[in-house]
Each structure stands twice: as C-alpha cells, then as structure tokens.
Amino acid sequence: QQPVQSPQAVILREGEDAVINCSSSKALYSVHWYRQKHGEAPVFLMILLKGGEQKGHEKISASFNEKKQQSSLYLTASQLSYSGTYFCGTGGSGNTGKLIFGQGTTLQVKP
Amino acid sequence: DSGVTQTPKHLITATGQRVTLRCSPRSGDLSVYWYQQSLDQGLQFLIQYYNGEERAKGNILERFSAQQFPDLHSELNLSSLELGDSALYFCASSFNKEGGPSAMNEQFFGPGTRLTVL
C-alpha cells in the first residue's frame, strides 16, 4: 500500500519553514526520507524507526507518530538548495530493505 | 557521487526488443534494489537482491527479470518491451550487517538509466 504524502507541492521563500507529511494505511515500522533534484538520483535524508531510533543529516528533522501511522519532515529556514521532490518510503518489519515510496512532494524555494 | 554506478546512462530501443541494465553497488554493499520511475511518477520498487539471492519482490512484470552475480553487480533484464516501459530505472545499494537487510540502512541510489521505447 503506497503511503500518501501531503502537500503535493509547496512554494516557499528563502528562510521560510515547511512540513511534509507521509501517511500510511498500514502500521508503520520504518520511514525513510529522500530528496530528488530534477534529473538526478534520490539522496538519503533520514530514517525513522518505530521505537524512536533515528538516523540522518543533522540539519534535517522529522517525527514518527506510530498511533497516527504518520511521519513528518520539517524543513526550517529553507535555502534554495532545498528545492526538489521529497519522497517518503515505508519499510516493513521483515528481513528485507524493501521500501514503498509515496508519490512525492515538490518543494520550490524562491529567493 | 553515491558510489553506485549504472550503465548505460541512456538507452533507446524499439517495442518488442530486449535490453539489459547493469548496476554496480558501492564497495561493501550486499543489497541491490531496482526501482522504476516513470514520468511524473514516484519510485516503484521492483526487486531486491541480497548477496546473490532474491530477497524481496515488488510489482515487477513477468517480462522483467534480474539477478545478482558473485561479484555483487546486478543486471535487470527487460524483454518484449512496450511503450509504457519507457522510464528511468534506478539501482540502489545498501550496507547490511551480518544477518541481512534491515530497515535502518539507507539506500544509495545510482544515477539511473533512462530507457526510451519507440
């Protein structure tokens, strides 16, 4: 089941904040966040696990709400380099690294 | 540069043909994943290999197959190509501790192969 991301697109000015949400209809075990710039490969941002464990870049923050089956990515004091499409991927508890990605959220940061 | 390499970068072929996409994972990574990204679409998981064995399967068509070789590089074979197979195909790899893949391992994506079926 593909997770649902919201909003689909957002436009910001430099220095503004944004929140991108990722909701699943299934119980979440792990959530991965990636950013993809046009024509490039997705780049890892953060992993959040059920139970609170996290791994990722220092300047990125995110939350994981087991009850709501939702994760949110927080982008604060946005920079032009934050522009791109953000994908969340949900992983299961099995012995695979399989991720099911959401449809993506396009973020555009303007000067 | 993620350390994952994919060849070729671009591939143009005709319907009904067969192509092979190649991926070399980062040094030390045992898992390889294949994803399909169509225009304006998200990343669709196709298949995962871990240390030479198939570990997980997504919505991969029967016309598509993959394998991972002893040197850990992987190939994705696409046959009887259709117009709808035109897409960007990404390979990703991850490091996994002894015991196999886990959800805590980030995936490193290669630059992708853009397939155009005419």
Side-chain angles (χ1 to χ4, degrees), chain B residues 31-59:
Chain B
S31 273
V32 169
Y33 309 80
W34 286 98
Y35 294 91
Q36 179 192 57
Q37 186 174 43
S38 303
L39 194 63
D40 297 328
Q41 293 291 312
L43 293 153
Q44 303 294 317
F45 171 76
L46 295 177
I47 198 164
Q48 176 201 356
Y49 278 84
Y50 173 73
N51 203 18
E53 294 187 0
E54 183 184 304
R55 184 57 68 99
K57 230 173 180 176
N59 294 328

Side-chain angles (χ1 to χ4, degrees), chain B residues 10-47:
Chain B
H10 299 279
L11 200 47
I12 301 174
T13 188
T15 53
Q17 295 299 305
R18 172 189 168 95
V19 296
T20 297
L21 313 183
R22 183 188 168 103
C23 167
S24 293
R26 292 187 322 154
S27 177
D29 285 358
L30 298 178
S31 273
V32 169
Y33 309 80
W34 286 98
Y35 294 91
Q36 179 192 57
Q37 186 174 43
S38 303
L39 194 63
D40 297 328
Q41 293 291 312
L43 293 153
Q44 303 294 317
F45 171 76
L46 295 177
I47 198 164

Side-chain angles (χ1 to χ4, degrees), chain A:
Chain A
Q1 210 89 11
Q2 185 182 36
V4 176
Q5 291 184 229
S6 62
Q8 283 191 320
V10 59
I11 300 175
L12 297 175
R13 293 283 179 193
E14 265 187 300
E16 292 181 338
D17 302 338
V19 179
I20 301 174
N21 300 305
C22 175
S23 296
S24 174
S25 59
K26 293 173 67 174
L28 285 179
Y29 179 77
S30 70
V31 178
H32 294 220
W33 287 96
Y34 289 80
R35 177 173 60 216
Q36 183 180 28
K37 292 184 180 286
H38 185 69
E40 298 181 8
V43 173
F44 167 75
L45 295 176
M46 175 159 277
I47 297 174
L48 303 100
L49 277 193
K50 178 179 176 178
E53 194 174 354
Q54 293 188 5
K55 178 163 77 170
H57 294 283
E58 292 178 1
K59 294 188 177 180
I60 300 286
S61 65
S63 65
F64 185 108
N65 188 319
E66 290 180 44
K67 282 188 178 178
K68 290 186 177 179
Q69 296 173 184
Q70 178 177 307
S71 175
S72 296
L73 185 70
Y74 303 98
L75 302 169
T76 57
S78 59
Q79 305 170 16
L80 295 176
S81 61
Y82 287 11
S83 294
T85 301
Y86 290 76
F87 292 99
C88 70
T90 55
S93 58
N95 193 24
T96 80
K98 174 181 175 180
L99 295 176
I100 304 299
F101 283 94
Q103 81 281 16
T105 294
T106 301
L107 175 72
Q108 185 181 3
V109 181
K110 293 186 172 181

